[in-house]
Amino acid sequence: MFRHSRVVELGGNQIKIDYHSLSGRLTLVSEGNILFDKSLWLPYKRFPINMFGLHYQIKALIFPVNKIGVYHYERPICSDLFPELKRYSLISFTFTSIKRLAMVFAYAFS
């Protein structure tokens, strides 16, 4: 549930993309070589990356919806790498907001 992985083909090469949601660590690996390894802590960040002589960009939207995508010159290669992660984060954000709102009302009316 906390570790997500996907294999994407970029420029004729297989890229394994791993994301660990608790640590925020995003790793791109091709044939045992680490191409990209960063911790994603900012709510929205773009990371330029050169792979196989081509320029790509990783866009990460972490809060409130976890959405990570790979783009080639603003053209989406994979706009949503982990759709189940987006669903989990939406559900968690909604229930947490409802819980906090209920606690505020309970405190206000006590």
Side-chain angles (χ1 to χ4, degrees), residues 46-57:
R46 293 179 185 200
F47 298 99
I49 183 170
N50 292 324
M51 293 185 291
F52 316 114
L54 297 173
H55 300 285
Y56 292 97
Q57 190 174 50

Side-chain angles (χ1 to χ4, degrees), residues 26-60:
L26 181 68
T27 307
L28 277 69
V29 178
S30 174
E31 299 175 1
N33 297 326
I34 297 175
L35 302 172
F36 182 82
D37 187 25
K38 294 245 188 225
S39 290
L40 307 177
W41 289 104
L42 295 175
Y44 181 74
K45 185 73 175 170
R46 293 179 185 200
F47 298 99
I49 183 170
N50 292 324
M51 293 185 291
F52 316 114
L54 297 173
H55 300 285
Y56 292 97
Q57 190 174 50
I58 297 172
K59 293 182 184 179

Side-chain angles (χ1 to χ4, degrees), residues 14 17 39 46 51 59 72 93 101 105 110:
Q14 297 287 329
I17 302 172
S39 290
R46 293 179 185 200
M51 293 185 291
K59 293 182 184 179
H72 178 66
F93 180 74
L101 186 62
F105 280 134
S110 64

Side-chain angles (χ1 to χ4, degrees), residues 14 18-20 23-24 49 60 73 84 90 93 95:
Q14 297 287 329
D18 290 321
Y19 179 68
H20 192 270
S23 66
I49 183 170
Y73 291 115
E84 68 279 355
L90 276 174
F93 180 74
F95 283 126

